[in-house]
Amino acid sequence: MLANKMRPPLLRITMILGALHAVLGYLLLPALHLALPGFLLGGAVLLASTMLMPMTIFARAITQDTRLADRLSWAGSLCMGFFSSLFVLAVLRELLLLYPPVRLHQQASAIAVIGLALLATSVGFVNARRIARVKDVKVAIAGLPPALQGFTIVQLSDIHVGATIKRAWVEAMVARANSLNADAIAITGDVVDGSVAQLGAHVAPLGALRARHGVFLVTGNHEYYCGAAPWVAEFRRLGLTVLMNEHRVLGHDGAQLLMAGVTDYNAAHFDPAHGSDPQAAIAGAPAGLPRIVLAHQPRSAPALEAAGFDLQLSGHTHGGQFWPWNLFVPLQQPYVAGLHRRGRLQIYVSCGTGYWGPPKRLGAPAEITRITLVAAQDA
């Protein structure tokens, strides 16, 4: 039974989606010159998409049957991915129709829009569902001790274990990460999209991650949507080191490196005790060590620079995941993907290892990032 508090947002979202689908139908269906049965079928598909897309969020509130909820979420996610491309392409088609020669090909252009949307969704699906590639990144650190030359950190980010990313996928990701024999593994938030009760068995393979100095994790915004305190306890039970505005000093072949982590940028909105605090994360740290910090959102950078860190590892953006949403990420975050610098602080933003929402990636490939520290002169 759908909880009473869920009904208003579900209704609002469905009404908005209904209006957008109606616009899409208005833009495309007449141009296809369909007979009545085809027109009705097109309308039915649009109606089904309207009803299924909210299931990416509300499926578990609709039914307690986990398998049915996951199937509804899968269907809604696929509809969301297809609709996103179809709607954007339909709008672009309308703009092209302002050019007189294009108006002579209204039916062909409408068919092309549908074909391109199907192609984008299919290619994006394959890109999203395969295990992320390994991306090698060298980061030059001024004054890096010789013993830390070549120190490797494997970064996993935005895994989003949930309705469409399950245990088998996580096991394959863990195997690939372990094959890199890293000195440390960093998980920069948004591991889950559900509760410990729902997803504990699917997250369990993270406990098999292995690195010389251990596995370090910080919370992302999705942990707070799903109950951060139980998840922090579960991650620790699996043997992961959860850094809650704190640090560890790693001894490596006679040298030392600081590994710190802050809670999510917006954590205080969910739990005031979890407010992100870069100064607390570095408090009491020995002077003169290379200072690495894990922070889910790139926009933590100004505070982390002020605290005196050398390298920030972040995620959250998914690199935009697929066009055109990558164009909107800079409205919220100062960096979308890749390596950047702010004063002494360098910021690496992962495109993410999993995906959220539509199983779709275009132009922002998923990554398991192998970061290698080098002395500045060897960059």
Side-chain angles (χ1 to χ4, degrees):
M1 182 71 67
L2 184 63
N4 289 334
K5 66 179 180 180
M6 291 289 188
R7 287 174 183 161
L10 174 59
L11 180 60
R12 285 194 295 271
I13 290 171
T14 304
M15 289 177 65
I16 293 169
L17 288 172
L20 292 173
H21 280 78
V23 170
L24 182 60
Y26 174 78
L27 294 178
L28 288 182
L29 289 180
L32 293 170
H33 302 305
L34 300 169
L36 181 60
F39 193 89
L40 292 175
L41 177 62
V45 169
L46 291 171
L47 178 61
S49 178
T50 299
M51 302 305 293
L52 284 170
M53 280 174 60
M55 294 303 102
T56 57
I57 300 172
F58 295 102
R60 285 197 171 97
I62 294 287
T63 176
Q64 294 181 348
D65 185 326
T66 302
R67 289 187 178 181
L68 176 59
D70 286 350
R71 287 170 183 167
L72 288 171
S73 185
W74 255 113
S77 298
L78 290 169
C79 286
M80 184 185 294
F82 180 58
F83 174 81
S84 295
S85 291
L86 189 61
F87 189 87
V88 170
L89 290 170
V91 171
L92 291 176
R93 171 183 173 272
E94 289 300 306
L95 295 175
L96 288 173
L97 288 175
L98 297 175
Y99 184 54
V102 180
R103 288 185 215 150
L104 301 175
H105 305 284
Q106 293 207 23
Q107 185 179 29
S109 61
I111 293 171
V113 161
I114 295 171
L116 286 171
L118 284 170
L119 178 62
T121 303
S122 300
V123 172
F125 178 85
V126 172
N127 289 341
R129 289 297 299 169
R130 63 188 178 190
I131 302 305
R133 61 174 184 160
V134 175
K135 181 178 180 180
D136 279 298
V137 178
K138 286 187 177 181
V139 178
I141 303 292
L144 187 75
L148 294 175
Q149 178 80 5
F151 187 97
T152 57
I153 304 168
V154 165
Q155 181 187 5
L156 308 173
S157 192
D158 302 275
I159 302 167
H160 289 286
V161 179
T164 64
I165 292 180
K166 293 293 185 70
R167 185 184 182 100
W169 193 99
V170 177
E171 287 175 339
M173 178 201 70
V174 166
R176 182 161 294 180
N178 283 343
S179 72
L180 301 178
N181 297 313
D183 292 308
I185 293 177
I187 304 176
T188 48
D190 278 9
V191 179
V192 294
D193 278 310
S195 68
V196 175
Q198 293 164 341
L199 299 176
H202 300 285
V203 172
L206 294 181
L209 284 168
R210 294 291 180 267
R212 177 175 174 180
H213 296 291
V215 183
F216 302 90
L217 179 149
V218 293
T219 55
N221 52 304
H222 281 248
E223 274 69 65
Y224 290 94
Y225 301 156
C226 305
W231 273 117
V232 167
E234 179 66 8
F235 294 144
R236 286 174 171 159
R237 189 189 70 80
L238 292 173
L240 313 181
T241 300
V242 184
L243 297 171
M244 307 282 286
N245 301 318
E246 55 190 316
H247 68 263
R248 299 289 187 273
V249 175
L250 310 183
H252 184 85
D253 295 341
Q256 290 184 317
L257 176 142
L258 185 96
M259 183 73 72
V262 294
T263 52
D264 181 64
Y265 183 88
N266 291 322
H269 296 312
F270 300 89
D271 185 343
H274 282 205
S276 186
D277 191 342
Q279 295 295 337
I282 207 167
L289 304 187
R291 297 175 171 188
I292 316 298
V293 62
L294 316 183
H296 179 61
Q297 298 196 39
R299 59 179 167 171
S300 293
L304 294 171
E305 180 199 9
F309 288 101
D310 296 301
L311 173 63
Q312 169 185 339
L313 302 182
S314 293
H316 184 67
T317 67
H318 297 211
Q321 198 161 308
F322 59 92
W323 185 86
W325 312 118
N326 58 310
L327 303 178
F328 296 97
V329 175
L331 298 178
Q332 190 205 38
Q333 299 293 332
Y335 313 107
V336 177
L339 188 62
H340 305 268
R341 179 180 286 277
R342 180 188 171 96
R344 76 174 273 176
L345 177 69
Q346 295 184 79
I347 305 103
Y348 184 78
V349 183
S350 167
C351 283
T353 310
Y355 58 86
W356 182 82
K360 184 175 181 178
R361 277 190 175 273
L362 288 171
E367 61 184 81
I368 294 172
T369 320
R370 177 166 51 192
I371 293 160
T372 303
L373 304 185
V374 297
Q377 65 269 22
D378 295 324

PDB file of all heavy atoms in Angstrom, residues 324-351:
ATOM      1  N   PRO A 324      21.877  15.591 -22.855  1.00  0.00           N
ATOM      2  CA  PRO A 324      22.510  16.885 -22.622  1.00  0.00           C
ATOM      3  C   PRO A 324      22.682  17.249 -21.146  1.00  0.00           C
ATOM      4  O   PRO A 324      22.987  18.395 -20.827  1.00  0.00           O
ATOM      5  CB  PRO A 324      21.521  17.849 -23.273  1.00  0.00           C
ATOM      6  CG  PRO A 324      20.187  17.245 -22.961  1.00  0.00           C
ATOM      7  CD  PRO A 324      20.404  15.745 -23.015  1.00  0.00           C
ATOM      8  N   TRP A 325      22.486  16.262 -20.231  1.00  0.00           N
ATOM      9  CA  TRP A 325      22.469  16.590 -18.809  1.00  0.00           C
ATOM     10  C   TRP A 325      23.844  17.020 -18.314  1.00  0.00           C
ATOM     11  O   TRP A 325      23.942  17.723 -17.308  1.00  0.00           O
ATOM     12  CB  TRP A 325      21.908  15.408 -18.023  1.00  0.00           C
ATOM     13  CG  TRP A 325      20.646  14.929 -18.649  1.00  0.00           C
ATOM     14  CD1 TRP A 325      20.405  13.693 -19.185  1.00  0.00           C
ATOM     15  CD2 TRP A 325      19.452  15.695 -18.877  1.00  0.00           C
ATOM     16  NE1 TRP A 325      19.146  13.639 -19.716  1.00  0.00           N
ATOM     17  CE2 TRP A 325      18.523  14.850 -19.547  1.00  0.00           C
ATOM     18  CE3 TRP A 325      19.057  16.999 -18.586  1.00  0.00           C
ATOM     19  CZ2 TRP A 325      17.265  15.263 -19.930  1.00  0.00           C
ATOM     20  CZ3 TRP A 325      17.785  17.422 -18.964  1.00  0.00           C
ATOM     21  CH2 TRP A 325      16.915  16.567 -19.620  1.00  0.00           C
ATOM     22  N   ASN A 326      24.900  16.625 -19.038  1.00  0.00           N
ATOM     23  CA  ASN A 326      26.237  17.084 -18.658  1.00  0.00           C
ATOM     24  C   ASN A 326      26.362  18.605 -18.770  1.00  0.00           C
ATOM     25  O   ASN A 326      27.201  19.220 -18.105  1.00  0.00           O
ATOM     26  CB  ASN A 326      27.286  16.415 -19.536  1.00  0.00           C
ATOM     27  CG  ASN A 326      27.061  16.676 -21.019  1.00  0.00           C
ATOM     28  OD1 ASN A 326      25.972  16.490 -21.528  1.00  0.00           O
ATOM     29  ND2 ASN A 326      28.103  17.100 -21.708  1.00  0.00           N
ATOM     30  N   LEU A 327      25.514  19.219 -19.585  1.00  0.00           N
ATOM     31  CA  LEU A 327      25.567  20.677 -19.747  1.00  0.00           C
ATOM     32  C   LEU A 327      25.035  21.403 -18.518  1.00  0.00           C
ATOM     33  O   LEU A 327      25.334  22.589 -18.313  1.00  0.00           O
ATOM     34  CB  LEU A 327      24.759  21.104 -20.978  1.00  0.00           C
ATOM     35  CG  LEU A 327      25.168  20.457 -22.310  1.00  0.00           C
ATOM     36  CD1 LEU A 327      24.241  20.941 -23.431  1.00  0.00           C
ATOM     37  CD2 LEU A 327      26.621  20.770 -22.645  1.00  0.00           C
ATOM     38  N   PHE A 328      24.256  20.700 -17.688  1.00  0.00           N
ATOM     39  CA  PHE A 328      23.640  21.340 -16.532  1.00  0.00           C
ATOM     40  C   PHE A 328      24.435  21.150 -15.241  1.00  0.00           C
ATOM     41  O   PHE A 328      24.211  21.867 -14.275  1.00  0.00           O
ATOM     42  CB  PHE A 328      22.211  20.805 -16.338  1.00  0.00           C
ATOM     43  CG  PHE A 328      21.294  21.140 -17.479  1.00  0.00           C
ATOM     44  CD1 PHE A 328      21.065  20.218 -18.492  1.00  0.00           C
ATOM     45  CD2 PHE A 328      20.674  22.378 -17.556  1.00  0.00           C
ATOM     46  CE1 PHE A 328      20.231  20.523 -19.554  1.00  0.00           C
ATOM     47  CE2 PHE A 328      19.834  22.697 -18.612  1.00  0.00           C
ATOM     48  CZ  PHE A 328      19.618  21.771 -19.620  1.00  0.00           C
ATOM     49  N   VAL A 329      25.351  20.169 -15.222  1.00  0.00           N
ATOM     50  CA  VAL A 329      26.122  19.904 -14.004  1.00  0.00           C
ATOM     51  C   VAL A 329      26.878  21.145 -13.519  1.00  0.00           C
ATOM     52  O   VAL A 329      26.905  21.422 -12.313  1.00  0.00           O
ATOM     53  CB  VAL A 329      27.079  18.715 -14.215  1.00  0.00           C
ATOM     54  CG1 VAL A 329      27.961  18.509 -12.987  1.00  0.00           C
ATOM     55  CG2 VAL A 329      26.290  17.443 -14.504  1.00  0.00           C
ATOM     56  N   PRO A 330      27.497  21.944 -14.422  1.00  0.00           N
ATOM     57  CA  PRO A 330      28.231  23.123 -13.939  1.00  0.00           C
ATOM     58  C   PRO A 330      27.367  24.157 -13.225  1.00  0.00           C
ATOM     59  O   PRO A 330      27.908  25.037 -12.550  1.00  0.00           O
ATOM     60  CB  PRO A 330      28.824  23.717 -15.237  1.00  0.00           C
ATOM     61  CG  PRO A 330      28.909  22.567 -16.178  1.00  0.00           C
ATOM     62  CD  PRO A 330      27.702  21.736 -15.871  1.00  0.00           C
ATOM     63  N   LEU A 331      26.053  24.047 -13.340  1.00  0.00           N
ATOM     64  CA  LEU A 331      25.187  24.964 -12.598  1.00  0.00           C
ATOM     65  C   LEU A 331      25.235  24.673 -11.100  1.00  0.00           C
ATOM     66  O   LEU A 331      24.924  25.542 -10.284  1.00  0.00           O
ATOM     67  CB  LEU A 331      23.740  24.848 -13.098  1.00  0.00           C
ATOM     68  CG  LEU A 331      23.508  25.214 -14.569  1.00  0.00           C
ATOM     69  CD1 LEU A 331      22.041  24.990 -14.930  1.00  0.00           C
ATOM     70  CD2 LEU A 331      23.920  26.656 -14.847  1.00  0.00           C
ATOM     71  N   GLN A 332      25.638  23.444 -10.735  1.00  0.00           N
ATOM     72  CA  GLN A 332      25.681  23.076  -9.321  1.00  0.00           C
ATOM     73  C   GLN A 332      27.091  22.804  -8.817  1.00  0.00           C
ATOM     74  O   GLN A 332      27.400  23.045  -7.657  1.00  0.00           O
ATOM     75  CB  GLN A 332      24.822  21.819  -9.073  1.00  0.00           C
ATOM     76  CG  GLN A 332      24.620  21.520  -7.593  1.00  0.00           C
ATOM     77  CD  GLN A 332      24.325  20.065  -7.327  1.00  0.00           C
ATOM     78  OE1 GLN A 332      24.886  19.175  -7.956  1.00  0.00           O
ATOM     79  NE2 GLN A 332      23.432  19.812  -6.374  1.00  0.00           N
ATOM     80  N   GLN A 333      27.951  22.295  -9.692  1.00  0.00           N
ATOM     81  CA  GLN A 333      29.280  21.869  -9.275  1.00  0.00           C
ATOM     82  C   GLN A 333      30.361  22.642 -10.036  1.00  0.00           C
ATOM     83  O   GLN A 333      30.212  22.895 -11.236  1.00  0.00           O
ATOM     84  CB  GLN A 333      29.461  20.367  -9.524  1.00  0.00           C
ATOM     85  CG  GLN A 333      28.499  19.483  -8.756  1.00  0.00           C
ATOM     86  CD  GLN A 333      28.717  19.494  -7.262  1.00  0.00           C
ATOM     87  OE1 GLN A 333      29.821  19.721  -6.791  1.00  0.00           O
ATOM     88  NE2 GLN A 333      27.660  19.226  -6.499  1.00  0.00           N
ATOM     89  N   PRO A 334      31.479  22.977  -9.373  1.00  0.00           N
ATOM     90  CA  PRO A 334      32.526  23.729 -10.058  1.00  0.00           C
ATOM     91  C   PRO A 334      33.325  22.895 -11.056  1.00  0.00           C
ATOM     92  O   PRO A 334      33.959  23.439 -11.955  1.00  0.00           O
ATOM     93  CB  PRO A 334      33.422  24.202  -8.911  1.00  0.00           C
ATOM     94  CG  PRO A 334      33.213  23.187  -7.827  1.00  0.00           C
ATOM     95  CD  PRO A 334      31.779  22.765  -7.950  1.00  0.00           C
ATOM     96  N   TYR A 335      33.300  21.571 -10.898  1.00  0.00           N
ATOM     97  CA  TYR A 335      34.043  20.685 -11.784  1.00  0.00           C
ATOM     98  C   TYR A 335      33.154  19.499 -12.132  1.00  0.00           C
ATOM     99  O   TYR A 335      32.440  18.967 -11.274  1.00  0.00           O
ATOM    100  CB  TYR A 335      35.331  20.189 -11.120  1.00  0.00           C
ATOM    101  CG  TYR A 335      36.121  21.303 -10.453  1.00  0.00           C
ATOM    102  CD1 TYR A 335      36.161  21.421  -9.062  1.00  0.00           C
ATOM    103  CD2 TYR A 335      36.802  22.245 -11.213  1.00  0.00           C
ATOM    104  CE1 TYR A 335      36.866  22.445  -8.445  1.00  0.00           C
ATOM    105  CE2 TYR A 335      37.508  23.286 -10.612  1.00  0.00           C
ATOM    106  CZ  TYR A 335      37.538  23.378  -9.226  1.00  0.00           C
ATOM    107  OH  TYR A 335      38.221  24.411  -8.624  1.00  0.00           O
ATOM    108  N   VAL A 336      33.205  19.070 -13.386  1.00  0.00           N
ATOM    109  CA  VAL A 336      32.332  17.990 -13.855  1.00  0.00           C
ATOM    110  C   VAL A 336      33.062  16.653 -13.896  1.00  0.00           C
ATOM    111  O   VAL A 336      32.518  15.625 -13.495  1.00  0.00           O
ATOM    112  CB  VAL A 336      31.760  18.327 -15.248  1.00  0.00           C
ATOM    113  CG1 VAL A 336      30.904  17.175 -15.780  1.00  0.00           C
ATOM    114  CG2 VAL A 336      30.935  19.608 -15.191  1.00  0.00           C
ATOM    115  N   ALA A 337      34.293  16.664 -14.393  1.00  0.00           N
ATOM    116  CA  ALA A 337      35.066  15.423 -14.512  1.00  0.00           C
ATOM    117  C   ALA A 337      36.534  15.773 -14.713  1.00  0.00           C
ATOM    118  O   ALA A 337      36.871  16.869 -15.177  1.00  0.00           O
ATOM    119  CB  ALA A 337      34.556  14.580 -15.675  1.00  0.00           C
ATOM    120  N   GLY A 338      37.410  14.827 -14.362  1.00  0.00           N
ATOM    121  CA  GLY A 338      38.827  14.992 -14.634  1.00  0.00           C
ATOM    122  C   GLY A 338      39.583  15.730 -13.545  1.00  0.00           C
ATOM    123  O   GLY A 338      39.076  15.970 -12.451  1.00  0.00           O
ATOM    124  N   LEU A 339      40.823  16.085 -13.863  1.00  0.00           N
ATOM    125  CA  LEU A 339      41.744  16.677 -12.894  1.00  0.00           C
ATOM    126  C   LEU A 339      41.759  18.200 -13.032  1.00  0.00           C
ATOM    127  O   LEU A 339      41.878  18.735 -14.131  1.00  0.00           O
ATOM    128  CB  LEU A 339      43.154  16.124 -13.117  1.00  0.00           C
ATOM    129  CG  LEU A 339      44.228  16.489 -12.082  1.00  0.00           C
ATOM    130  CD1 LEU A 339      43.868  15.955 -10.701  1.00  0.00           C
ATOM    131  CD2 LEU A 339      45.590  15.955 -12.528  1.00  0.00           C
ATOM    132  N   HIS A 340      41.636  18.879 -11.899  1.00  0.00           N
ATOM    133  CA  HIS A 340      41.579  20.337 -11.866  1.00  0.00           C
ATOM    134  C   HIS A 340      42.462  20.838 -10.722  1.00  0.00           C
ATOM    135  O   HIS A 340      42.870  20.069  -9.847  1.00  0.00           O
ATOM    136  CB  HIS A 340      40.134  20.826 -11.661  1.00  0.00           C
ATOM    137  CG  HIS A 340      39.184  20.281 -12.669  1.00  0.00           C
ATOM    138  ND1 HIS A 340      38.886  20.922 -13.846  1.00  0.00           N
ATOM    139  CD2 HIS A 340      38.462  19.113 -12.680  1.00  0.00           C
ATOM    140  CE1 HIS A 340      38.026  20.200 -14.534  1.00  0.00           C
ATOM    141  NE2 HIS A 340      37.757  19.095 -13.861  1.00  0.00           N
ATOM    142  N   ARG A 341      42.725  22.127 -10.723  1.00  0.00           N
ATOM    143  CA  ARG A 341      43.531  22.714  -9.661  1.00  0.00           C
ATOM    144  C   ARG A 341      42.855  23.963  -9.125  1.00  0.00           C
ATOM    145  O   ARG A 341      42.288  24.762  -9.878  1.00  0.00           O
ATOM    146  CB  ARG A 341      44.931  23.063 -10.161  1.00  0.00           C
ATOM    147  CG  ARG A 341      45.816  23.707  -9.088  1.00  0.00           C
ATOM    148  CD  ARG A 341      47.197  24.035  -9.620  1.00  0.00           C
ATOM    149  NE  ARG A 341      48.017  22.846  -9.779  1.00  0.00           N
ATOM    150  CZ  ARG A 341      48.708  22.268  -8.800  1.00  0.00           C
ATOM    151  NH1 ARG A 341      48.661  22.770  -7.563  1.00  0.00           N
ATOM    152  NH2 ARG A 341      49.452  21.204  -9.018  1.00  0.00           N
ATOM    153  N   ARG A 342      42.931  24.120  -7.802  1.00  0.00           N
ATOM    154  CA  ARG A 342      42.473  25.328  -7.125  1.00  0.00           C
ATOM    155  C   ARG A 342      43.541  25.684  -6.096  1.00  0.00           C
ATOM    156  O   ARG A 342      43.593  25.085  -5.017  1.00  0.00           O
ATOM    157  CB  ARG A 342      41.119  25.094  -6.456  1.00  0.00           C
ATOM    158  CG  ARG A 342      40.570  26.315  -5.724  1.00  0.00           C
ATOM    159  CD  ARG A 342      39.330  25.971  -4.914  1.00  0.00           C
ATOM    160  NE  ARG A 342      38.984  27.100  -4.075  1.00  0.00           N
ATOM    161  CZ  ARG A 342      38.087  28.035  -4.384  1.00  0.00           C
ATOM    162  NH1 ARG A 342      37.430  27.952  -5.529  1.00  0.00           N
ATOM    163  NH2 ARG A 342      37.828  29.041  -3.565  1.00  0.00           N
ATOM    164  N   GLY A 343      44.407  26.646  -6.445  1.00  0.00           N
ATOM    165  CA  GLY A 343      45.520  26.954  -5.565  1.00  0.00           C
ATOM    166  C   GLY A 343      46.429  25.752  -5.410  1.00  0.00           C
ATOM    167  O   GLY A 343      46.811  25.118  -6.396  1.00  0.00           O
ATOM    168  N   ARG A 344      46.753  25.387  -4.180  1.00  0.00           N
ATOM    169  CA  ARG A 344      47.611  24.216  -3.953  1.00  0.00           C
ATOM    170  C   ARG A 344      46.832  22.919  -4.094  1.00  0.00           C
ATOM    171  O   ARG A 344      47.421  21.841  -4.244  1.00  0.00           O
ATOM    172  CB  ARG A 344      48.267  24.278  -2.569  1.00  0.00           C
ATOM    173  CG  ARG A 344      47.361  23.949  -1.410  1.00  0.00           C
ATOM    174  CD  ARG A 344      48.104  23.879  -0.083  1.00  0.00           C
ATOM    175  NE  ARG A 344      48.660  22.560   0.178  1.00  0.00           N
ATOM    176  CZ  ARG A 344      49.406  22.277   1.237  1.00  0.00           C
ATOM    177  NH1 ARG A 344      49.713  23.238   2.092  1.00  0.00           N
ATOM    178  NH2 ARG A 344      49.876  21.065   1.446  1.00  0.00           N
ATOM    179  N   LEU A 345      45.509  23.006  -4.038  1.00  0.00           N
ATOM    180  CA  LEU A 345      44.674  21.800  -4.058  1.00  0.00           C
ATOM    181  C   LEU A 345      44.417  21.331  -5.486  1.00  0.00           C
ATOM    182  O   LEU A 345      43.978  22.108  -6.342  1.00  0.00           O
ATOM    183  CB  LEU A 345      43.338  22.088  -3.373  1.00  0.00           C
ATOM    184  CG  LEU A 345      42.318  20.943  -3.373  1.00  0.00           C
ATOM    185  CD1 LEU A 345      42.786  19.798  -2.475  1.00  0.00           C
ATOM    186  CD2 LEU A 345      40.941  21.440  -2.924  1.00  0.00           C
ATOM    187  N   GLN A 346      44.659  20.052  -5.726  1.00  0.00           N
ATOM    188  CA  GLN A 346      44.232  19.428  -6.971  1.00  0.00           C
ATOM    189  C   GLN A 346      42.969  18.622  -6.693  1.00  0.00           C
ATOM    190  O   GLN A 346      42.829  18.020  -5.622  1.00  0.00           O
ATOM    191  CB  GLN A 346      45.329  18.535  -7.533  1.00  0.00           C
ATOM    192  CG  GLN A 346      46.565  19.320  -7.953  1.00  0.00           C
ATOM    193  CD  GLN A 346      47.603  18.434  -8.602  1.00  0.00           C
ATOM    194  OE1 GLN A 346      47.514  18.065  -9.764  1.00  0.00           O
ATOM    195  NE2 GLN A 346      48.629  18.092  -7.823  1.00  0.00           N
ATOM    196  N   ILE A 347      42.055  18.630  -7.653  1.00  0.00           N
ATOM    197  CA  ILE A 347      40.770  17.960  -7.493  1.00  0.00           C
ATOM    198  C   ILE A 347      40.586  16.987  -8.644  1.00  0.00           C
ATOM    199  O   ILE A 347      40.640  17.385  -9.809  1.00  0.00           O
ATOM    200  CB  ILE A 347      39.594  18.969  -7.499  1.00  0.00           C
ATOM    201  CG1 ILE A 347      39.802  20.059  -6.440  1.00  0.00           C
ATOM    202  CG2 ILE A 347      38.275  18.252  -7.293  1.00  0.00           C
ATOM    203  CD1 ILE A 347      40.270  21.381  -7.022  1.00  0.00           C
ATOM    204  N   TYR A 348      40.407  15.710  -8.308  1.00  0.00           N
ATOM    205  CA  TYR A 348      40.059  14.747  -9.353  1.00  0.00           C
ATOM    206  C   TYR A 348      38.602  14.333  -9.166  1.00  0.00           C
ATOM    207  O   TYR A 348      38.210  13.868  -8.089  1.00  0.00           O
ATOM    208  CB  TYR A 348      40.950  13.490  -9.346  1.00  0.00           C
ATOM    209  CG  TYR A 348      40.565  12.617 -10.510  1.00  0.00           C
ATOM    210  CD1 TYR A 348      40.996  12.946 -11.795  1.00  0.00           C
ATOM    211  CD2 TYR A 348      39.691  11.547 -10.360  1.00  0.00           C
ATOM    212  CE1 TYR A 348      40.575  12.214 -12.891  1.00  0.00           C
ATOM    213  CE2 TYR A 348      39.273  10.805 -11.459  1.00  0.00           C
ATOM    214  CZ  TYR A 348      39.721  11.149 -12.731  1.00  0.00           C
ATOM    215  OH  TYR A 348      39.282  10.437 -13.820  1.00  0.00           O
ATOM    216  N   VAL A 349      37.803  14.494 -10.237  1.00  0.00           N
ATOM    217  CA  VAL A 349      36.381  14.148 -10.205  1.00  0.00           C
ATOM    218  C   VAL A 349      36.150  12.940 -11.108  1.00  0.00           C
ATOM    219  O   VAL A 349      36.326  13.015 -12.324  1.00  0.00           O
ATOM    220  CB  VAL A 349      35.506  15.328 -10.659  1.00  0.00           C
ATOM    221  CG1 VAL A 349      34.029  14.959 -10.544  1.00  0.00           C
ATOM    222  CG2 VAL A 349      35.803  16.581  -9.831  1.00  0.00           C
ATOM    223  N   SER A 350      35.756  11.844 -10.500  1.00  0.00           N
ATOM    224  CA  SER A 350      35.449  10.624 -11.242  1.00  0.00           C
ATOM    225  C   SER A 350      34.092  10.745 -11.937  1.00  0.00           C
ATOM    226  O   SER A 350      33.156  11.346 -11.401  1.00  0.00           O
ATOM    227  CB  SER A 350      35.420   9.435 -10.280  1.00  0.00           C
ATOM    228  OG  SER A 350      34.839   8.295 -10.887  1.00  0.00           O
ATOM    229  N   CYS A 351      33.985  10.142 -13.123  1.00  0.00           N
ATOM    230  CA  CYS A 351      32.688  10.055 -13.805  1.00  0.00           C
ATOM    231  C   CYS A 351      31.785   9.009 -13.165  1.00  0.00           C
ATOM    232  O   CYS A 351      30.623   8.869 -13.558  1.00  0.00           O
ATOM    233  CB  CYS A 351      32.883   9.716 -15.285  1.00  0.00           C
ATOM    234  SG  CYS A 351      33.425  11.107 -16.287  1.00  0.00           S
TER     235      CYS A 351
END
